[in-house]
Amino acid sequence: MRFAQPRTTEEAAGLIAQEAGLTRILSGGTDVMVQLKSGLVEPDLIVDIKHIPGLRAITPEDGGFRIGAAVSGAELGEHEGVRALWPGVVEGVELIGSTQVQGRATMAGNLCNGSPAADAVPGLVAANAIARIMGPDGERDCPVAEIPVGPGKTTLAKAEFLTSIFLPARPDRSGDAYLRFIPRTEMDIAVAAAAVSLTLDAAGTVTAARVALGAVAPTIRLVPAAADAILGAKLDDAAIAALMEACSAACNPIDDKRGTIEFRTQVAGVLAKRAALIAYSRAGGTV
Amino acid sequence: MALDNTPKRVFKVVGTRPPRPDGIDKVTGRALYGADVSAPGMLTAHILRSPHAHAEIVSIDTSAAEALSGVKAVVTAKDFAPQDDDFLMDVLDNCMARDKVLYDGHAVVAVAATNSAIAKAALKLIKVTYKALPHVTDVDAAMTLDAPVVQEGRSLETVPEGMSQNVTSHCEFGHGDLDAGFQKADVVVERSFTTAATHQGYIEPHACLASMTADGKADLWCCTQGQYNVRDLCSAALGMEGSQLRVTASEIGGGFGGKTTVFIEPVALALSRKAGRPVKIVMSRDEVFRATGPTVSSSIDVKIGMTRDGRITAGEAHLRYSGGAFPCGTVDMGAQAAFAAYDLQAVRTLGYNALTNRPKEAAYRAPGAPQAIYAVESVVDELCQQLGLDPLEVRLKNAARKGTRSSYGPTFEDIGLVATLEAAKAHPHYSAPLAEGQGRGLSAGFWFNFGGNTCVTLNVNTDGTVGVTEGNPDIGGSRAAISQMAAEELGIPYDKIRTIIADTSALGHNDVTDGSRVTFSVGLATIKAAQDAIAKMCSRAAQIWGIDEEAVVWKDGAAEPAGPNAGKFPPMSLAEIAAVSFNTGGPIAGHHEFNADGAGVSFGVHLVDVEVDKETGATKVLRYTVFQDAGKAVHPSYVEGQMQGGAVQGIGWALNEEYIYGEDGRLQNPGFLDYRVPVASDLPPIETVILEIPNPGHPYGVRGVGETPIVPPLAALSNAVSRAIGTRMSSLPMSPPRILKALSKG
Ligand SMILES: Cc1cc2nc3c(=O)[nH]c(=O)nc-3n(C[C@H](O)[C@H](O)[C@H](O)COP(=O)(O)OP(=O)(O)OC[C@H]3O[C@@H](n4cnc5c(N)ncnc54)[C@H](O)[C@@H]3O)c2cc1C
């Protein structure tokens, strides 16, 4: 097993493209190291991207923020600007692991690890965040929602990797929120999760919404029907009931040691309701 | 057996809270745990484990592994001495499968190599041919007649005719006329319960270093609760004489009963014998979960009758436990403990153990009692609800006390149950208001406590300090407590004493650190060893003064003439006597060895408030108070630590911890991510109230405290949750999916 610390994105892309064996990108390493230790993967080459200049930067751009792929949860959490604009995204990232894990874990790693229960991803999907991807043929942009395709699988090509994630600007009177259910209070993996991002008009009517669910299907799921359920409403009981129903209907979970199909389906709706109410109040609405 | 007739002794050191002797080493990382010992030329070993729940081992081909460069030894069951004794054979078969693998994770082959990577690579080169057999992991399923038989011919004569061969033992306890008792009842509640197998969850995985030389002498360093037990089991497994194997216990990162047997130690010795080099084995967490002892899983029926005013008229329990793939006697303790808190006219408990394709049970704090008492205390709570009675008053009304004929036979001496219940009743927690959606649960708990074989040496050093050498690994603060008792008895300051834990060649046999026995038994032996040393020091003083030995007494750490008639000499302190000991007959040491009796049972009462999120089934523990009779709390902080630790483990057991098996009979959650012990933020501060009802069997009144606190939490939590959601829960753990399901059924 070899270890490389390239200094440019081009160098990194070249190293991966040339490698005949198995490669693993290393960001924070909080998934990779665990997988190495348990013998789950035995890569031939590990490419650590943390030392590429710019990859640990958070930069304002077009009223939003570009977040380097190697920015840790702790760094993101300390950024006042991102917190204010996308509190739901930040709270998802901050739920990852513990203080120690936060010092290393990244949003990009959380996304590319491909877990259906990844805590940062529903918030990013609800935010319609855009990933910037470097590859042998240069850079391209791709919505975060299109990256995961199944447990441990992404749409990234072999020599591609994320260099940043862009969180767009948003209108006034917008809010987002993320909630997960775990049987404990921390250090656990989501059994069901929901992120809601919405925008209100002056009267408190929802004019735009995105709802994403985690841990209830093979990938994080954007649920347009759930967003439709609250569009044009003020989160009255009927809208909430329709939201919950749409979320439960969108679930396609598994029965496993972490939770039953029945439980996940039911709780996904409950979390969506609670997240929607938080997002609504963050957007300045009062129910 | 009151050894000290002085009533209400005033203690100087006992009852204080000196700093723990192992504290600095532990927080600075200097403490040497099982995995921290190394030796020159050491090899690292890994173990190949069964991927099947139940299978015949058709063949094992290790030739490719042996041919790998760096591999120095390979062992299988063939490398161990066959045992005549069933118990020893089971322990050994559990360390290394012989003809069949009996559970997922059962060890099959071990490889020692020059490094870990080579040993792991070698495991992949081993070809084991299995013939898969049908398996059974559920205790009730295992007791049906068409269940796959885990091991044939293991049933004791006590098992009634016509039961599955998986049923290995049967027991019965109780007295009185049950039918008449139930007839007197105004209400009878009968319910069935299940509890999942749970793991002790110690932080430190099993680890050892074995070194055997060509002349057959061996040294073994390991984390264990009993080095003498390890020596006995390993020397038998290897066919060696006990004197040739010296076992040294490392500092231990938790045991809770799970380190009272061997798993890797005989394997490391066999590898070292073959390789002629030291061999280290450190288990991974996955191995700890799959192959070391969880507690039993259980299925229990309880029937209790009560009069309208809360008097229990009869109690009956049928307990079905499974201790995994080997015979297991834990159900006997459950059947004895089930109704121990009650003074009953008519009581009967029946117990059965059944084999399943699960790892061999190892002791876990009060083995067998939490499950049984959970079922009994749940039914008592339900009766209280049905009759509109206060659950504490009902327990007080029926409480066992001095003179009660216990449900398991013996008549109780001085016990602290009533005092403990009264303390709970008087505590503000019991009367604090509850909000909507919250529930309060209460449970009493009991444990026998043990004494056992103990041997202690107390060395008086010439500089006036004292070394206590004892043979029980310190898993809960016993070194501090033992130093305190030595200081108390000798009349010298605590910090003049250092207590160390000896290897197996340094002292006579000591039973395992279990049964909450150490502070009681080793403490008692230390007091007696101190008295022995005191007698010798008095004799030295008499010699110096030229008076009769009988004319010297020991007071406040010094010898002095018994009275004016004995002579007029100033007191001689321990330090002064020790300083001249070479001129008065040589070194001074006290000894004591005995099989300690009179441990004194212990009772506890736990109170808990919970809040259940009715939309998700999540339980939040809001407030928790533990009341327990410690006899005499030698080091109160450690006693509180035991009470809190037991409560925490019990909360985990009640809410989330469980061994989950798939259809394929494989363990689904062998790691701390999915085997959910509580994390700190899951817990409220756990308040403790120590009661001190002296144990007449100990000069300071000490009772064991380590096990009782894990007994009440299961029922306390279940009662609290059941009251909060308005539905009786009868299955542990009460994980959110289970609670949500119970709520949807209403
Ligand atoms: C104790 C502990 C607790 C945890 N708790 C949680 C939790 O609560 N919620 C949760 O969601 N996760 C949790 N995790 C998992 C993990 O911390 C997160 O998924 C984290 O966000 C991963 O980020 P990382 O930077 O450490 O990723 P890494 O381990 O560096 O990488 C993860 C994966 O993504 C790939 N990768 C990384 N960066 C890139 C990139 N720029 N481009 C392409 N591929 C890339 C890697 O090759 C690897 O496959 C926990 C892990 C631990 C050890």
Side-chain angles (χ1 to χ4, degrees):
Chain A
M1 188 165 71
R2 282 158 295 121
F3 182 79
Q5 270 186 352
R7 299 293 146 161
T8 64
T9 53
E10 290 78 11
E11 187 191 345
L15 280 169
I16 307 168
Q18 283 154 29
E19 177 61 39
L22 187 66
T23 48
R24 267 286 181 283
I25 306 272
L26 183 86
S27 255
T30 58
D31 280 313
V32 171
M33 297 307 286
V34 175
Q35 290 160 5
L36 284 183
K37 192 152 186 251
S38 68
L40 207 67
V41 290
E42 290 176 7
D44 301 285
L45 176 67
I46 290 184
V47 180
D48 178 3
I49 57 166
K50 274 192 293 297
H51 302 276
I52 298 174
L55 259 65
R56 296 189 61 180
I58 300 175
T59 326
E61 183 179 317
D62 295 341
F65 290 97
R66 182 162 296 285
I67 294 150
V71 169
S72 72
E75 287 163 336
L76 189 72
E78 283 168 10
H79 196 283
E80 297 290 335
V82 184
R83 282 194 92 93
L85 194 63
W86 290 103
V89 172
V90 176
E91 76 193 348
V93 176
E94 289 192 318
L95 281 175
I96 296 172
S98 56
T99 304
Q100 295 91 327
V101 171
Q102 280 289 311
R104 299 222 141 225
T106 67
M107 284 200 297
N110 195 239
L111 172 64
C112 297
N113 187 53
S115 163
D119 280 314
V121 182
L124 289 170
V125 169
N128 202 9
I130 310 291
R132 180 154 292 169
I133 298 166
M134 176 72 185
D137 309 322
E139 281 185 341
R140 68 180 176 101
D141 282 351
C142 171
V144 163
E146 290 170 21
I147 291 182
V149 283
K153 294 204 180 71
T154 66
T155 50
L156 296 181
K158 181 189 177 260
E160 286 190 325
F161 63 95
L162 263 65
T163 53
S164 64
I165 293 175
F166 180 64
L167 282 168
R170 60 197 318 204
D172 285 347
R173 290 181 69 77
S174 295
D176 68 334
Y178 172 75
L179 289 173
R180 66 172 180 182
F181 181 81
I182 55 173
R184 291 183 284 203
T185 44
E186 58 183 330
M187 299 308 286
D188 215 323
I189 189 162
V191 181
V196 176
S197 171
L198 44 73
T199 301
L200 309 180
D201 66 13
T205 304
V206 177
T207 57
R210 281 171 72 93
V211 178
L213 298 180
V216 293
T219 61
I220 306 287
R221 229 169 224 198
L222 183 68
V223 189
D228 291 346
I230 54 173
L231 266 180
K234 292 180 177 170
L235 292 200
D236 50 279
D237 290 350
I240 290 284
L243 167 78
M244 290 175 74
E245 203 171 306
C247 286
S248 293
C251 292
N252 176 24
I254 50 168
D255 249 331
D256 74 354
K257 59 199 171 193
R258 295 182 184 142
T260 57
I261 291 173
E262 192 187 351
F263 179 80
R264 292 182 140 121
T265 307
Q266 199 171 335
V267 171
V270 172
L271 295 174
K273 168 182 80 175
R274 294 179 181 178
L277 291 170
I278 297 169
Y280 192 79
S281 100
R282 283 180 181 162
T286 40
V287 183
Chain B
M1 188 184 63
L3 297 171
D4 188 324
N5 301 322
T6 338
K8 290 238 164 80
R9 172 168 186 152
V10 181
F11 294 104
K12 291 202 174 104
V13 187
V14 163
T16 64
R17 303 170 186 247
R20 53 192 296 164
D22 50 335
I24 289 176
D25 280 356
K26 282 179 175 166
V27 299
T28 56
R30 286 193 56 170
L32 294 177
Y33 290 95
D36 293 328
V37 189
S38 298
M42 182 178 87
L43 304 173
T44 300
H46 286 293
I47 294 173
L48 186 70
R49 295 180 180 277
S50 167
H52 298 286
H54 194 193
E56 202 179 297
I57 301 174
V58 180
S59 64
I60 302 176
D61 178 359
T62 60
S63 53
E66 281 166 84
L68 186 69
S69 167
V71 170
K72 300 295 176 190
V74 176
V75 300
T76 65
K78 290 200 182 71
D79 293 276
F80 298 93
Q83 307 293 320
D84 297 331
D85 179 273
D86 278 352
F87 170 77
L88 284 174
M89 196 68 240
D90 283 347
V91 169
L92 196 50
D93 279 348
N94 189 45
C95 292
M96 208 40 73
R98 238 185 325 160
D99 306 317
K100 287 209 294 185
V101 288
L102 300 172
Y103 55 90
D104 166 50
H106 200 167
V108 181
V109 187
V111 176
T114 46
N115 66 44
S116 172
I118 296 174
K120 277 187 181 159
L123 292 189
K124 291 191 179 152
L125 299 174
I126 295 168
K127 290 188 201 77
V128 184
T129 311
Y130 295 102
K131 184 177 157 225
L133 299 169
H135 64 267
V136 59
T137 54
D138 176 76
V139 60
D140 287 319
M143 287 180 67
T144 60
L145 285 174
D146 50 1
V149 174
V150 177
Q151 288 197 57
E152 311 225 340
R154 299 305 306 270
S155 300
L156 295 179
E157 285 157 13
T158 51
V159 177
E161 287 280 317
M163 296 194 89
S164 159
Q165 280 203 64
N166 286 326
V167 180
T168 55
S169 62
H170 167 63
C171 61
E172 183 172 343
F173 297 92
H175 58 253
D177 183 343
L178 274 189
D179 289 339
F182 285 121
Q183 299 230 308
K184 277 186 238 156
D186 293 311
V187 181
V188 175
V189 166
E190 201 172 348
R191 249 190 204 279
S192 298
F193 299 87
T194 60
T195 69
T198 54
H199 196 274
Q200 298 83 350
Y202 29 82
I203 290 292
E204 183 195 21
H206 300 261
C208 70
L209 173 67
S211 180
M212 194 183 286
T213 53
D215 60 359
K217 290 193 190 64
D219 267 297
L220 178 67
W221 294 268
C222 60
C223 60
T224 177
Q225 290 175 238
Q227 62 274 44
Y228 297 88
N229 182 50
V230 170
R231 179 190 65 187
D232 295 349
L233 296 172
C234 289
S235 55
L238 277 283
M240 328 169 44
E241 288 178 354
S243 62
Q244 299 307 303
L245 174 59
R246 180 170 64 158
V247 182
T248 307
S250 70
E251 198 63 63
I252 187 167
F256 311 108
K259 291 176 182 167
T260 55
T261 183
V262 294
F263 300 102
I264 50 174
E265 295 80 359
V267 179
L269 280 164
L271 286 165
S272 176
R273 175 164 67 185
K274 245 185 171 170
R277 284 166 68 166
V279 173
K280 178 143 133 184
I281 303 183
V282 180
M283 273 189 166
S284 65
R285 183 61 60 184
D286 175 277
E287 290 180 291
V288 171
F289 275 113
R290 287 167 73 207
T292 71
T295 182
V296 296
S297 52
S298 78
S299 166
I300 302 170
D301 312 322
V302 170
K303 182 178 172 188
I304 299 176
M306 196 179 273
T307 60
R308 220 162 274 122
D309 64 348
R311 180 72 209 163
I312 298 176
T313 58
E316 185 180 8
H318 291 235
L319 303 105
R320 296 168 295 276
Y321 284 14
S322 177
F326 297 89
C328 169
T330 295
V331 74
D332 295 42
M333 293 190 276
Q336 292 180 65
F339 287 99
Y342 296 100
D343 182 2
L344 301 176
Q345 298 280 309
V347 57
R348 183 161 66 224
T349 56
L350 303 181
Y352 302 89
N353 179 69
L355 301 175
T356 52
N357 294 108
R358 290 169 174 253
K360 187 176 192 300
E361 183 253 13
Y364 181 13
R365 273 184 130 148
Q371 298 90 336
I373 287 175
Y374 152 66
V376 167
E377 290 290 88
S378 293
V379 172
V380 170
D381 195 58
E382 189 168 354
L383 281 161
C384 293
Q385 277 184 304
Q386 283 195 15
L387 290 165
L389 298 171
D390 179 279
L392 245 175
E393 294 297 350
V394 166
R395 283 174 177 86
L396 272 167
K397 186 168 233 158
N398 295 283
R401 53 196 81 213
K402 186 173 184 173
T404 294
R405 179 182 179 192
S406 70
S407 56
Y408 60 98
T411 298
F412 286 131
E413 290 194 55
D414 290 301
I415 55 172
L417 178 59
V418 170
T420 312
L421 287 163
E422 293 285 5
K425 193 171 133 187
H427 194 277
H429 184 170
Y430 196 61
S431 47
L434 287 171
E436 166 65 25
Q438 300 179 349
R440 175 165 301 144
L442 160 76
S443 173
F446 156 86
W447 186 242
F448 307 93
N449 294 335
F450 293 111
N453 295 296
T454 312
C455 179
V456 166
T457 287
L458 184 147
N459 300 310
V460 179
N461 303 321
T462 50
D463 65 353
T465 63
V466 168
V468 178
T469 304
E470 51 113 342
N472 276 97
D474 175 357
I475 61 171
S478 50
R479 275 169 296 192
I482 287 158
S483 293
Q484 282 179 280
M485 286 185 269
E488 188 73 50
E489 202 63 25
L490 292 169
I492 63 173
Y494 169 81
D495 58 13
K496 295 280 177 223
I497 299 177
R498 182 166 181 202
T499 297
I500 63 117
I501 292 144
D503 66 57
T504 51
S505 59
L507 276 182
H509 177 92
N510 282 276
D511 285 347
V512 170
T513 296
D514 70 357
S516 303
R517 64 176 288 276
V518 177
T519 304
F520 169 76
S521 302
V522 181
L524 188 44
T526 302
I527 292 168
K528 296 233 185 181
Q531 289 168 352
D532 185 30
I534 287 170
K536 288 171 184 165
M537 290 188 284
C538 287
S539 149
R540 299 291 175 94
Q543 190 185 326
I544 292 165
W545 293 328
I547 64 175
D548 268 1
E549 260 177 65
E550 290 74 49
V552 180
V553 294
W554 190 261
K555 215 182 137 201
D556 295 333
E560 59 180 53
N565 296 342
K568 264 198 123 191
F569 303 101
M572 264 192 102
S573 70
L574 178 144
E576 286 164 341
I577 297 170
V580 298
S581 60
F582 292 179
N583 305 326
T584 58
I588 299 168
H591 301 277
H592 196 73
E593 44 273 325
F594 69 158
N595 189 349
D597 214 349
V601 301
S602 149
F603 287 91
V605 172
H606 291 203
L607 266 184
V608 59
D609 296 352
V610 303
E611 185 165 84
V612 180
D613 180 337
K614 288 186 182 157
E615 285 186 318
T616 64
T619 299
K620 184 169 188 215
V621 183
L622 302 169
R623 184 171 184 182
Y624 204 109
T625 313
V626 180
F627 305 84
Q628 192 176 319
D629 170 19
K632 175 71 202 169
V634 178
H635 191 303
S637 303
Y638 277 122
V639 173
E640 288 156 6
Q642 292 295 321
M643 291 159 75
Q644 291 163 332
V648 169
Q649 286 186 310
I651 290 170
W653 194 339
L655 295 182
N656 281 307
E657 292 181 39
E658 64 179 316
Y659 265 49
I660 303 171
Y661 282 92
E663 289 288 311
D664 58 1
R666 300 193 64 183
L667 183 61
Q668 304 281 299
N669 57 336
F672 279 133
L673 180 55
D674 290 306
Y675 180 89
R676 296 187 164 95
V677 300
V679 297
S681 53
D682 292 337
L683 302 162
I686 293 174
E687 214 183 309
T688 54
V689 177
I690 300 175
L691 284 291
E692 294 186 327
I693 290 85
N695 169 20
H698 188 283
Y700 300 168
V702 170
R703 294 175 198 273
V705 297
E707 289 170 292
T708 299
I710 204 173
V711 181
L714 311 192
L717 265 296
S718 185
N719 293 342
V721 168
S722 300
R723 284 171 181 261
I725 66 174
T727 300
R728 179 58 48 181
M729 296 298 291
S730 58
S731 211
L732 297 185
M734 296 177 291
S735 55
R738 283 218 181 102
I739 290 182
L740 208 54
K741 194 160 192 156
L743 275 166
S744 71
K745 281 187 187 153

